[in-house]
Amino acid sequence: MKTTKFGLKSLWVLGLATLAGFSSCTKNEETRAWEPVKIASAYINGAIASNVTSDESEAIIPFAAGTDISNMKVKLVVVNGKAVDFPDDTYMDCRKPIAVKLQSNTGKTVDYTLKVTSAPKLTDFIIEGLSISEEKTFITADKIVAQVPVGTDLTKLKVTLNFLNGTLVGFQNGVEKDYTNPVSFSVLGVDETTSYPYQLMLTDQEVGPAAITDLKFNDESVASFTTSTVGDKTYVRTNISAFTDLSKVKLNITTGYGNTIENFVNGSEINLLNSPEIDITGTNGILTKFVFNVPQIIPNLLWSKDKTAILRTAFAVVGDKFVTCTGSGIVLNVYNTADASLVKSLDQTGIDKTGISGIVRKVTSDTAGNLLVMDMAHTSKTLVVWRWKSVDATPTTYIKYTDESVANVRSAGINITGSLDGDAVIMIALSKTTRVLKYTVKGGVLNSTPEILEAPETNSFFAAYEQLPSSTNVIGGSMNGGTAYYIGLLNKTFSTITRKTVMAGVSDVRAIKYKGRTLVAYVAVNAQGGNKDKYKVCDVTDENENSLDKEIFVYNATMAVSPGNGTTDADFAMINGKLHVIFTVEGKYIECFSLE
């Protein structure tokens, strides 16, 4: 047999542990002793009550509206003490508060109140001479709403209301009354103390689920809007006739009859670019969440030209003109932005075609009316960019970029931010690489040594990147590159902030600053499928992960023609003092839309 020996030290530790356990029990008992005595619940007619609320002075036990509480068997559940002289487990009239005397574990006596409640319940609702559909009658805790037949004279109706557990106050049954506006009254509860306010609302308008019947932006009705329900949310798509700053819109919502807007004050300013949710409760008492999608400008086509009218691969807006290139030799034509009428061809005097492809596919312009045209460079190691200071000027060679490490340097896209006469950033994307050349201009002087940046992915043919106005971030797109079909918002080191996949890609982009907002235009090639494109304008002012979802203009192009190599372009134009946007896809239309 094994013997276990305890030394004095072990006994001492054991004693401390025992004492600690005893002290802990004593402390818990003392704590409970000082907790207040109260009614925690009760057995009513033999069943434990639920949803009880209680504190140190009263307990409230609610029952469904219209419950007969005049003769209920009550047995109290008291904590931290007991009831004194209470006739437990006996029937009693609970319509009025019941006084109970409680005694705490410390012997203290407390005057306590037990309240068994049941709100009034409407049992009869009669409109003399009318038959009211139950499907068009909605009763909530404080409203009675009913839809009467269209054409009913609301000014002379006789209504009768009867309630269980309540007495009408401020309302006379069967008396002719004007119900053009909601009629307020109250019902006195069975305790003869509690008043329940009601509104009686009669209308020949549609009642039921929450609805929006009209919207105003900045005190003007929107052109149109539609709603669609997906899951537990209803989405609102708003169409507007002209560009406006959607980040701060004074919004007014007209709802269906008797609806209540819960979390928005009409006439307040709201940011509609962030898809806000506004809760509206219908006359059926059910809350609906309305999600406001980014409003879109209704496409207003100014003019449209197919490839037989204007042969081009790309274009750039210069003041009230736009310049096209054809991708076949160096053919550069000038057109009026107002009607796309031909003005002339650009002067090509002095262009040195030695050692170059002699083909231009991309043109771009700056804010001062300068134009840059870029050689495609099929077989040369040198890429050349020419500059026209206006559409009436003669060209000069502006940039020459040579790379002896490759078989040929082929251009993909070119964009300017700023003014070549002042400060500017020029970005040239190179084809079939990730390389992007970033040239800077300071005080009208070009730094001829570019910074070499790396795009997120290799493009197969075309890509373009443009630094956003008043920013170091960059907008860009790529196409014909396997997974590199995208438009993306990048930071200055070309790390991705956000991007969107586009079915067949984006080969050019254009950004402007207009009325304090940064707008980006691009063609999403084949975004509809079936070789149909989408023209898009986004408000990217916030320059965050959601910016490319803030599409304020979307147009589904109708022409289904294979784009060939898919060269696209987009640019903004001011025509008669109004903002316009022009889009093109090679082999398809060049089209101009008014945004204002």
Side-chain angles (χ1 to χ4, degrees):
M1 181 175 68
K2 184 176 180 181
T3 302
T4 303
K5 297 182 179 179
F6 294 95
L8 289 175
K9 183 176 182 182
S10 298
L11 289 172
W12 179 71
V13 173
L14 182 60
L16 282 179
T18 303
L19 180 61
F22 176 78
S23 298
S24 178
C25 291
T26 302
K27 184 176 182 180
N28 288 339
E29 290 173 357
E30 289 175 352
T31 301
R32 285 196 297 269
W34 285 105
E35 289 179 354
V37 62
K38 65 179 182 178
I39 296 174
S41 186
Y43 287 90
I44 307 292
N45 295 334
I48 189 72
S50 58
N51 301 321
V52 178
T53 58
S54 63
D55 56 23
E56 298 180 22
S57 61
E58 70 176 14
I60 301 174
I61 302 177
F63 279 83
T67 301
D68 182 2
I69 59 175
S70 65
N71 189 31
M72 308 190 90
K73 190 176 183 181
V74 180
K75 182 179 179 180
L76 302 179
V77 177
V78 180
V79 296
N80 303 318
K82 62 182 180 180
V84 179
D85 297 331
F86 183 80
D88 240 350
D89 224 8
T90 61
Y91 286 92
M92 56 186 67
D93 187 345
C94 297
R95 289 177 294 181
K96 294 185 179 181
I98 299 170
V100 181
K101 196 172 289 294
L102 301 180
Q103 187 178 75
S104 71
N105 290 335
T106 61
K108 181 180 178 181
T109 300
V110 176
D111 290 326
Y112 205 84
T113 301
L114 173 65
K115 292 181 179 179
V116 179
T117 64
S118 174
K121 180 181 179 179
L122 181 66
T123 56
D124 295 304
F125 175 32
I126 302 168
I127 304 177
E128 187 176 302
L130 295 179
S131 178
I132 305 300
S133 167
E134 287 188 14
E135 290 75 19
K136 296 298 182 180
T137 302
F138 299 96
I139 302 167
T140 65
D142 59 357
K143 288 180 183 177
I144 303 169
V145 183
Q147 182 178 334
V148 300
V150 174
T152 298
D153 184 358
L154 298 175
T155 65
K156 297 179 180 180
L157 292 178
K158 296 178 181 180
V159 176
T160 296
L161 303 172
N162 290 314
F163 286 84
L164 281 176
N165 289 358
T167 303
L168 284 170
V169 176
F171 188 91
Q172 288 182 289
N173 278 331
V175 175
E176 188 174 276
K177 192 173 182 65
D178 184 351
Y179 288 93
T180 305
N181 297 310
V183 171
S184 297
F185 64 95
S186 64
V187 178
L188 185 64
V190 291
D191 62 359
E192 298 181 358
T193 301
T194 306
S195 178
Y196 298 85
Y198 275 89
Q199 276 194 325
L200 176 56
M201 306 168 72
L202 304 181
T203 180
D204 60 2
Q205 301 178 43
E206 191 69 26
V207 298
I212 295 175
T213 59
D214 190 36
L215 291 170
K216 287 186 177 181
F217 291 178
N218 303 322
D219 297 324
E220 294 186 6
S221 291
V222 301
S224 63
F225 69 93
T226 58
T227 59
S228 59
T229 300
V230 180
D232 61 349
K233 295 182 179 180
T234 296
Y235 293 85
V236 183
R237 169 67 71 189
T238 309
N239 301 306
I240 56 178
S241 56
F243 170 80
T244 189
D245 183 354
L246 294 171
S247 71
K248 47 183 180 180
V249 172
K250 179 184 175 183
L251 175 63
N252 280 281
I253 304 171
T254 302
T255 65
Y257 179 83
N259 289 189
T260 303
I261 302 173
E262 305 291 353
N263 61 343
F264 178 76
V265 177
N266 260 337
S268 299
E269 196 172 86
I270 194 169
N271 186 348
L272 292 175
L273 292 171
N274 288 338
S275 299
E277 292 187 7
I278 294 179
D279 298 339
I280 302 176
T281 300
T283 47
N284 59 358
I286 298 174
L287 183 146
T288 299
K289 288 186 175 294
F290 287 86
V291 182
F292 282 72
N293 291 330
V294 175
Q296 291 186 352
I297 301 168
I298 298 172
N300 182 11
L301 182 65
L302 180 64
W303 51 257
S304 176
K305 302 293 181 180
D306 64 17
K307 66 178 181 178
T308 61
I310 300 180
L311 182 64
R312 79 282 156 203
T313 56
F315 74 96
V317 172
V318 183
D320 61 354
K321 308 289 191 298
F322 67 94
V323 178
T324 64
C325 59
T326 64
S328 176
I330 303 179
V331 180
L332 300 162
N333 291 326
V334 182
Y335 298 84
N336 286 310
T337 55
D339 58 7
S341 59
L342 179 65
V343 178
K344 64 175 184 176
S345 294
L346 275 186
D347 188 343
Q348 296 184 27
T349 303
I351 289 182
D352 182 5
K353 300 180 182 179
T354 304
I356 64 170
S357 68
I359 297 174
V360 293
R361 296 190 69 88
K362 284 292 181 180
V363 296
T364 189
S365 59
D366 71 355
T367 57
N370 290 281
L371 185 74
L372 294 184
V373 176
M374 183 170 61
D375 173 50
M376 190 172 182
H378 270 297
T379 59
S380 173
K381 296 179 183 292
T382 299
L383 184 68
V384 180
V385 177
W386 298 282
R387 174 184 178 181
W388 280 258
K389 291 189 175 182
S390 71
V391 295
D392 299 316
T394 55
T396 57
T397 300
Y398 193 63
I399 292 173
K400 274 193 175 183
Y401 174 76
T402 301
D403 188 344
E404 297 291 344
S405 67
V406 296
N408 63 80
V409 178
R410 182 170 177 168
S411 62
I414 182 170
N415 292 77
I416 307 171
T417 305
S419 166
L420 300 182
D421 297 332
D423 296 339
V425 172
I426 304 164
M427 288 191 171
I428 300 174
L430 301 181
S431 183
K432 298 185 178 182
T433 72
T434 58
R435 282 179 297 160
V436 178
L437 311 179
K438 178 181 178 181
Y439 289 91
T440 56
V441 178
K442 296 292 184 183
V445 179
L446 171 71
N447 180 349
S448 59
T449 302
E451 178 184 356
I452 309 297
L453 297 168
E454 298 293 331
E457 297 181 46
T458 299
N459 67 78
S460 290
F461 288 100
F462 296 102
Y465 298 92
E466 180 175 334
Q467 184 168 302
L468 294 174
S470 307
S471 175
T472 59
N473 289 332
V474 174
I475 191 75
S478 174
M479 68 183 301
N480 294 342
T483 60
Y485 300 144
Y486 71 91
I487 182 166
L489 179 63
L490 315 173
N491 65 19
K492 64 180 180 181
T493 62
F494 270 46
S495 295
T496 300
I497 297 171
T498 187
R499 63 182 283 164
K500 290 187 74 171
T501 299
V502 178
M503 187 169 179
V506 175
S507 77
D508 214 332
V509 294
R510 191 56 162 164
I512 62 164
K513 197 84 170 182
Y514 185 69
K515 294 184 178 180
R517 309 302 297 174
T518 302
L519 308 180
V520 169
Y522 69 96
V523 177
V525 177
N526 202 16
Q528 301 181 70
N531 289 321
K532 291 185 178 180
D533 311 312
K534 285 181 182 282
Y535 305 153
K536 296 188 176 185
V537 177
C538 301
D539 186 325
V540 302
T541 308
D542 293 340
E543 299 182 29
N544 59 28
E545 65 277 5
N546 299 316
S547 292
L548 296 177
D549 295 323
K550 299 172 183 180
E551 298 173 348
I552 64 171
F553 176 92
V554 177
Y555 178 75
N556 293 327
T558 57
M559 191 174 187
V561 176
S562 175
N565 60 29
T567 309
T568 72
D569 216 339
D571 206 349
F572 294 94
M574 293 300 297
I575 302 174
N576 297 324
K578 302 293 186 181
L579 182 65
H580 290 66
V581 62
I582 305 174
F583 301 94
T584 189
V585 179
E586 182 181 1
K588 303 185 184 181
Y589 294 112
I590 181 169
E591 298 181 300
C592 179
F593 297 85
S594 172
L595 298 181
E596 291 186 304

